[in-house]
Amino acid sequence: PFEVLGLARGKEDTTIEEATKARRKLALKWHPDRNISNPEEATRKMQEINEAFREVQLILSSDNGHGESDDDDGCCESES
């Protein structure tokens, strides 16, 4: 998944911010609305990019011992 996002350094040196930035850059390049001449390939590439990003998120969050990237939306941590 790191290679798909262009993150050749691997999980040891990659931060979630770098992965997010790489995903955004690729999304701008491959978004189907920007690739009108080949929407099928653009859609396939976007799916590949999104899947790779989810995998990278899971790998990085499990390495940090948090594992809450999908469950925690950063809102309303304490309800009174």
Side-chain angles (χ1 to χ4, degrees):
F2 291 91
E3 295 81 19
V4 171
L5 296 177
L7 301 169
R9 294 179 298 183
K11 68 180 182 178
E12 293 83 19
D13 298 321
T14 301
T15 65
I16 193 67
E17 291 82 13
E18 290 171 324
T20 301
K21 186 176 179 180
R23 177 182 177 232
R24 280 192 196 127
K25 183 177 178 180
L26 289 170
L28 286 172
K29 177 180 179 181
W30 286 105
H31 196 281
D33 289 347
R34 289 184 165 220
N35 289 278
I36 297 169
S37 63
N38 198 347
E40 294 84 15
E41 181 183 8
T43 300
R44 183 183 56 76
K45 289 293 275 184
M46 284 298 297
Q47 290 172 341
E48 184 179 333
I49 292 163
N50 288 329
E51 182 178 321
F53 181 71
R54 281 190 293 272
E55 289 179 31
V56 167
Q57 274 186 313
L58 289 173
I59 291 168
L60 294 177
S61 65
S62 67
D63 283 350
N64 292 335
H66 294 90
E68 55 191 45
S69 62
D70 291 335
D71 298 331
D72 183 17
D73 63 1
C75 176
C76 311
E77 290 188 21
S78 63
E79 295 181 19
S80 303

PDB file of all heavy atoms in Angstrom, residues 7-24:
ATOM      1  N   LEU A   7       4.884   6.259  -1.362  1.00  0.00           N
ATOM      2  CA  LEU A   7       5.628   6.380  -0.117  1.00  0.00           C
ATOM      3  C   LEU A   7       6.649   5.245  -0.041  1.00  0.00           C
ATOM      4  O   LEU A   7       6.444   4.254   0.636  1.00  0.00           O
ATOM      5  CB  LEU A   7       4.678   6.326   1.085  1.00  0.00           C
ATOM      6  CG  LEU A   7       3.601   7.403   1.105  1.00  0.00           C
ATOM      7  CD1 LEU A   7       2.559   7.106   2.169  1.00  0.00           C
ATOM      8  CD2 LEU A   7       4.226   8.763   1.338  1.00  0.00           C
ATOM      9  N   ALA A   8       7.743   5.410  -0.741  1.00  0.00           N
ATOM     10  CA  ALA A   8       8.734   4.349  -0.863  1.00  0.00           C
ATOM     11  C   ALA A   8       9.479   4.079   0.442  1.00  0.00           C
ATOM     12  O   ALA A   8      10.064   3.025   0.607  1.00  0.00           O
ATOM     13  CB  ALA A   8       9.742   4.702  -1.960  1.00  0.00           C
ATOM     14  N   ARG A   9       9.433   4.997   1.368  1.00  0.00           N
ATOM     15  CA  ARG A   9      10.198   4.821   2.599  1.00  0.00           C
ATOM     16  C   ARG A   9       9.633   3.735   3.495  1.00  0.00           C
ATOM     17  O   ARG A   9      10.324   3.185   4.307  1.00  0.00           O
ATOM     18  CB  ARG A   9      10.254   6.135   3.378  1.00  0.00           C
ATOM     19  CG  ARG A   9      11.049   7.191   2.631  1.00  0.00           C
ATOM     20  CD  ARG A   9      11.083   8.462   3.383  1.00  0.00           C
ATOM     21  NE  ARG A   9       9.719   8.960   3.533  1.00  0.00           N
ATOM     22  CZ  ARG A   9       9.408  10.091   4.090  1.00  0.00           C
ATOM     23  NH1 ARG A   9      10.345  10.857   4.583  1.00  0.00           N
ATOM     24  NH2 ARG A   9       8.158  10.492   4.187  1.00  0.00           N
ATOM     25  N   GLY A  10       8.355   3.433   3.389  1.00  0.00           N
ATOM     26  CA  GLY A  10       7.753   2.382   4.201  1.00  0.00           C
ATOM     27  C   GLY A  10       7.243   2.886   5.527  1.00  0.00           C
ATOM     28  O   GLY A  10       7.339   4.056   5.859  1.00  0.00           O
ATOM     29  N   LYS A  11       6.695   1.963   6.306  1.00  0.00           N
ATOM     30  CA  LYS A  11       5.989   2.346   7.526  1.00  0.00           C
ATOM     31  C   LYS A  11       6.897   2.891   8.617  1.00  0.00           C
ATOM     32  O   LYS A  11       6.445   3.633   9.477  1.00  0.00           O
ATOM     33  CB  LYS A  11       5.177   1.174   8.056  1.00  0.00           C
ATOM     34  CG  LYS A  11       6.002   0.027   8.589  1.00  0.00           C
ATOM     35  CD  LYS A  11       5.093  -1.079   9.076  1.00  0.00           C
ATOM     36  CE  LYS A  11       5.903  -2.231   9.653  1.00  0.00           C
ATOM     37  NZ  LYS A  11       5.057  -3.275  10.162  1.00  0.00           N
ATOM     38  N   GLU A  12       8.170   2.551   8.604  1.00  0.00           N
ATOM     39  CA  GLU A  12       9.048   3.015   9.670  1.00  0.00           C
ATOM     40  C   GLU A  12       9.208   4.529   9.668  1.00  0.00           C
ATOM     41  O   GLU A  12       9.348   5.143  10.712  1.00  0.00           O
ATOM     42  CB  GLU A  12      10.436   2.360   9.557  1.00  0.00           C
ATOM     43  CG  GLU A  12      10.428   0.873   9.808  1.00  0.00           C
ATOM     44  CD  GLU A  12      10.049   0.072   8.573  1.00  0.00           C
ATOM     45  OE1 GLU A  12      10.135   0.600   7.456  1.00  0.00           O
ATOM     46  OE2 GLU A  12       9.637  -1.095   8.739  1.00  0.00           O
ATOM     47  N   ASP A  13       9.211   5.125   8.472  1.00  0.00           N
ATOM     48  CA  ASP A  13       9.487   6.557   8.357  1.00  0.00           C
ATOM     49  C   ASP A  13       8.286   7.387   7.930  1.00  0.00           C
ATOM     50  O   ASP A  13       8.405   8.593   7.780  1.00  0.00           O
ATOM     51  CB  ASP A  13      10.609   6.782   7.339  1.00  0.00           C
ATOM     52  CG  ASP A  13      11.902   6.118   7.767  1.00  0.00           C
ATOM     53  OD1 ASP A  13      12.206   6.141   8.973  1.00  0.00           O
ATOM     54  OD2 ASP A  13      12.591   5.563   6.901  1.00  0.00           O
ATOM     55  N   THR A  14       7.146   6.770   7.711  1.00  0.00           N
ATOM     56  CA  THR A  14       5.984   7.483   7.181  1.00  0.00           C
ATOM     57  C   THR A  14       5.060   7.924   8.310  1.00  0.00           C
ATOM     58  O   THR A  14       4.783   7.166   9.232  1.00  0.00           O
ATOM     59  CB  THR A  14       5.203   6.584   6.211  1.00  0.00           C
ATOM     60  OG1 THR A  14       6.071   6.202   5.149  1.00  0.00           O
ATOM     61  CG2 THR A  14       4.008   7.309   5.634  1.00  0.00           C
ATOM     62  N   THR A  15       4.566   9.155   8.208  1.00  0.00           N
ATOM     63  CA  THR A  15       3.565   9.645   9.156  1.00  0.00           C
ATOM     64  C   THR A  15       2.205   9.650   8.463  1.00  0.00           C
ATOM     65  O   THR A  15       2.113   9.620   7.236  1.00  0.00           O
ATOM     66  CB  THR A  15       3.892  11.084   9.618  1.00  0.00           C
ATOM     67  OG1 THR A  15       3.788  11.964   8.497  1.00  0.00           O
ATOM     68  CG2 THR A  15       5.279  11.161  10.237  1.00  0.00           C
ATOM     69  N   ILE A  16       1.155   9.713   9.249  1.00  0.00           N
ATOM     70  CA  ILE A  16      -0.194   9.747   8.690  1.00  0.00           C
ATOM     71  C   ILE A  16      -0.393  11.021   7.874  1.00  0.00           C
ATOM     72  O   ILE A  16      -1.112  11.018   6.871  1.00  0.00           O
ATOM     73  CB  ILE A  16      -1.272   9.590   9.793  1.00  0.00           C
ATOM     74  CG1 ILE A  16      -2.638   9.301   9.168  1.00  0.00           C
ATOM     75  CG2 ILE A  16      -1.329  10.793  10.693  1.00  0.00           C
ATOM     76  CD1 ILE A  16      -2.741   7.989   8.480  1.00  0.00           C
ATOM     77  N   GLU A  17       0.265  12.097   8.278  1.00  0.00           N
ATOM     78  CA  GLU A  17       0.162  13.349   7.527  1.00  0.00           C
ATOM     79  C   GLU A  17       0.760  13.202   6.133  1.00  0.00           C
ATOM     80  O   GLU A  17       0.204  13.696   5.150  1.00  0.00           O
ATOM     81  CB  GLU A  17       0.845  14.498   8.280  1.00  0.00           C
ATOM     82  CG  GLU A  17       0.134  14.918   9.547  1.00  0.00           C
ATOM     83  CD  GLU A  17       0.461  14.040  10.755  1.00  0.00           C
ATOM     84  OE1 GLU A  17       1.433  13.234  10.690  1.00  0.00           O
ATOM     85  OE2 GLU A  17      -0.251  14.130  11.755  1.00  0.00           O
ATOM     86  N   GLU A  18       1.898  12.518   6.040  1.00  0.00           N
ATOM     87  CA  GLU A  18       2.519  12.288   4.736  1.00  0.00           C
ATOM     88  C   GLU A  18       1.634  11.407   3.862  1.00  0.00           C
ATOM     89  O   GLU A  18       1.496  11.641   2.657  1.00  0.00           O
ATOM     90  CB  GLU A  18       3.891  11.629   4.907  1.00  0.00           C
ATOM     91  CG  GLU A  18       4.933  12.543   5.506  1.00  0.00           C
ATOM     92  CD  GLU A  18       6.210  11.805   5.857  1.00  0.00           C
ATOM     93  OE1 GLU A  18       6.156  10.646   6.287  1.00  0.00           O
ATOM     94  OE2 GLU A  18       7.281  12.415   5.688  1.00  0.00           O
ATOM     95  N   ALA A  19       1.019  10.392   4.461  1.00  0.00           N
ATOM     96  CA  ALA A  19       0.134   9.506   3.710  1.00  0.00           C
ATOM     97  C   ALA A  19      -1.089  10.269   3.214  1.00  0.00           C
ATOM     98  O   ALA A  19      -1.527  10.087   2.069  1.00  0.00           O
ATOM     99  CB  ALA A  19      -0.283   8.320   4.574  1.00  0.00           C
ATOM    100  N   THR A  20      -1.638  11.131   4.052  1.00  0.00           N
ATOM    101  CA  THR A  20      -2.798  11.931   3.666  1.00  0.00           C
ATOM    102  C   THR A  20      -2.453  12.872   2.521  1.00  0.00           C
ATOM    103  O   THR A  20      -3.219  13.009   1.554  1.00  0.00           O
ATOM    104  CB  THR A  20      -3.313  12.737   4.874  1.00  0.00           C
ATOM    105  OG1 THR A  20      -3.655  11.825   5.918  1.00  0.00           O
ATOM    106  CG2 THR A  20      -4.529  13.569   4.509  1.00  0.00           C
ATOM    107  N   LYS A  21      -1.301  13.507   2.608  1.00  0.00           N
ATOM    108  CA  LYS A  21      -0.864  14.424   1.552  1.00  0.00           C
ATOM    109  C   LYS A  21      -0.669  13.672   0.233  1.00  0.00           C
ATOM    110  O   LYS A  21      -1.083  14.149  -0.832  1.00  0.00           O
ATOM    111  CB  LYS A  21       0.432  15.105   1.978  1.00  0.00           C
ATOM    112  CG  LYS A  21       0.905  16.165   1.036  1.00  0.00           C
ATOM    113  CD  LYS A  21       2.138  16.857   1.583  1.00  0.00           C
ATOM    114  CE  LYS A  21       2.629  17.919   0.626  1.00  0.00           C
ATOM    115  NZ  LYS A  21       3.823  18.607   1.144  1.00  0.00           N
ATOM    116  N   ALA A  22      -0.061  12.490   0.304  1.00  0.00           N
ATOM    117  CA  ALA A  22       0.157  11.686  -0.902  1.00  0.00           C
ATOM    118  C   ALA A  22      -1.172  11.259  -1.511  1.00  0.00           C
ATOM    119  O   ALA A  22      -1.345  11.290  -2.739  1.00  0.00           O
ATOM    120  CB  ALA A  22       1.004  10.465  -0.558  1.00  0.00           C
ATOM    121  N   ARG A  23      -2.130  10.882  -0.661  1.00  0.00           N
ATOM    122  CA  ARG A  23      -3.451  10.482  -1.151  1.00  0.00           C
ATOM    123  C   ARG A  23      -4.144  11.641  -1.859  1.00  0.00           C
ATOM    124  O   ARG A  23      -4.734  11.469  -2.931  1.00  0.00           O
ATOM    125  CB  ARG A  23      -4.305   9.987   0.004  1.00  0.00           C
ATOM    126  CG  ARG A  23      -5.716   9.624  -0.421  1.00  0.00           C
ATOM    127  CD  ARG A  23      -6.518   9.178   0.776  1.00  0.00           C
ATOM    128  NE  ARG A  23      -7.872   8.892   0.411  1.00  0.00           N
ATOM    129  CZ  ARG A  23      -8.922   9.412   1.028  1.00  0.00           C
ATOM    130  NH1 ARG A  23      -8.761  10.231   2.052  1.00  0.00           N
ATOM    131  NH2 ARG A  23     -10.137   9.100   0.653  1.00  0.00           N
ATOM    132  N   ARG A  24      -4.094  12.822  -1.258  1.00  0.00           N
ATOM    133  CA  ARG A  24      -4.729  13.997  -1.873  1.00  0.00           C
ATOM    134  C   ARG A  24      -4.127  14.301  -3.243  1.00  0.00           C
ATOM    135  O   ARG A  24      -4.840  14.604  -4.196  1.00  0.00           O
ATOM    136  CB  ARG A  24      -4.577  15.216  -0.966  1.00  0.00           C
ATOM    137  CG  ARG A  24      -5.568  15.241   0.138  1.00  0.00           C
ATOM    138  CD  ARG A  24      -5.570  16.595   0.817  1.00  0.00           C
ATOM    139  NE  ARG A  24      -6.249  16.475   2.090  1.00  0.00           N
ATOM    140  CZ  ARG A  24      -5.750  16.851   3.257  1.00  0.00           C
ATOM    141  NH1 ARG A  24      -4.562  17.396   3.309  1.00  0.00           N
ATOM    142  NH2 ARG A  24      -6.433  16.706   4.348  1.00  0.00           N
TER     143      ARG A  24
END
